[in-house]
Amino acid sequence: MFRKVLASVGIGAAKVDTILETEHLHPGQKFQAKIHIIGGNVAQDISGLQLALMTKVKVEGDDGSYFINHVIDKWRIAEQFTIAPGETKIVPFEARLHSETSITELPTGFNQTHVWLETGLDIDLAMDPSDRDYLHIYPNDAVKTCLMAMEKLGFALVKADVEKGFLNASNFHSVSGCYQELEFRPQTRSMFGIQEVELSFIPETHQTHVLIELDRAFRGDGYVDLTIEHDQVNLSQLCDQLERLFA
């Protein structure tokens, strides 16, 4: 009885460790992992095993902006089971990253984007031990080419973060409850009178949508958008498209 009471307050509790095949991924890419559950000093009933894809999102409050954790996607991996003292269970797992997973690997020194997988054990009447594995998320070819086009047009990426909410345009909308903003500024005086450009990407299987917020010196803020087909990614054409949208 005493050992069960100890377990219920988290003493001698089971632990979980997720081992990823690779931490370097693209949005929408499949990933594989092995989840190790290691028993503690006493037998414990585990209500389930969950894996969540997480990021930090910026929210606005009365005292300014601050960051909170946000679940992009989650999976229930195992149902109820019992882990014996000192026992090790290994659960193989495969899933696909959400297509709207934020990009962490960007050419800017001020990148507030963090993405990780968090594994948790649901233990009846016990603490919830968890395991956090940070991911390196790279842009797809469409996003990468768009970044190159912005540089070619004289804009520098100065900041990246993730905000809470949804993006909506005439022919697309986001679904993850958060969106990434990439902030660009002209390296010299902009011929378009643009002071700042913010890009947000919504990748799908065969295309990537781009919502563009333009901050112009004399006309204020405005939104335009475009869609890049993945089989038609072309730097020169994209530069021409962006120039027309900025004019």
Side-chain angles (χ1 to χ4, degrees), residues 89-129:
K89 288 182 181 288
I90 299 176
V91 181
F93 179 72
E94 179 179 277
R96 188 179 295 276
L97 284 185
H98 199 290
S99 62
E100 294 177 19
T101 302
S102 303
I103 300 162
T104 64
E105 306 308 299
L106 291 165
T108 176
F110 191 24
N111 187 357
Q112 295 177 296
T113 307
H114 305 280
V115 176
W116 67 93
L117 287 169
E118 193 162 306
T119 315
L121 295 171
D122 293 334
I123 301 175
D124 289 338
L125 303 175
M127 295 174 66
D128 181 17

Side-chain angles (χ1 to χ4, degrees), residues 122-152:
D122 293 334
I123 301 175
D124 289 338
L125 303 175
M127 295 174 66
D128 181 17
S130 60
D131 174 52
R132 182 177 291 192
D133 296 277
Y134 282 92
L135 301 176
H136 303 275
I137 307 297
Y138 296 84
N140 64 24
D141 287 342
V143 173
K144 197 184 304 181
T145 305
C146 199
L147 298 180
M148 293 168 60
M150 289 296 291
E151 183 179 8
K152 202 172 177 68

